[in-house]
Structure formats: C-alpha cells, structure tokens
Amino acid sequence: MSDYGRRARRPNDAPTVLLQGRVSPTARDDVREAAEASGVTMSYYLDALITKLVSENGGMPLIDPPARDRANQLDIPGEAATRAA
C-alpha cells in the first residue's frame, strides 16, 4: 500500500520532466529515508535538493569521476584501440 497520499507533493499543474539514472542501493535508501523524514516524495526531495545546491553554490557542484577498475580491464595498446578495422 502506497503512502504517497500523506506526503507533500507538487501542485498538479507544476511542469516536470523525467530524470532517470541508476544509483547504488545505499544512495537510494539514503534519499528514501531523507524524503520520508521530510514528509515529501523522493521526486520532490531530489528536486528540492538540486534547487538548494544550485541556490547555495551558484550551480551544481562538480564531482570526481568514478575510479577505473583496472584489475578487470585488458591492457590494449593505444595504437590497437584507435586503428580502424
């Protein structure tokens, strides 16, 4: 049973667009818990968080790219990777 009826939501006429991405289960749980504690939906929480970050920082903060998993990669010389077949 969904409990979204008890949470604060955007007005029905508020413009929205779809934003999708895969995150770790831990990140999803963190967002879900914060949204529940705030009494809002996960979508509203993420939208408000992004708005707050942009407001406070003048834009979205930059992050470091993920570390490459070199243990599970084949070493391919640069010439072979750029050569046309």
Side-chain angles (χ1 to χ4, degrees):
M1 177 177 209
S2 175
D3 64 349
Y4 282 111
R6 294 182 284 158
R7 294 184 187 177
R9 299 172 71 175
R10 289 181 196 87
N12 288 336
D13 60 347
T16 61
V17 294
L18 180 63
L19 172 66
Q20 290 182 312
R22 294 196 176 270
V23 298
S24 69
T26 303
R28 184 181 190 282
D29 289 343
D30 290 343
V31 170
R32 183 185 47 75
E33 290 171 10
E36 285 180 3
S38 298
V40 297
T41 63
M42 288 175 58
S43 294
Y44 186 89
Y45 179 85
L46 289 171
D47 191 27
L49 178 62
I50 291 166
T51 300
K52 181 178 180 177
L53 287 170
V54 169
S55 174
E56 290 176 355
N57 301 311
M60 290 295 292
L62 301 180
I63 60 166
D64 294 327
R68 294 183 62 178
D69 182 6
R70 298 213 183 265
N72 292 315
Q73 291 183 349
L74 296 174
D75 287 327
I76 300 175
E79 182 180 301
T82 59
R83 194 177 325 148

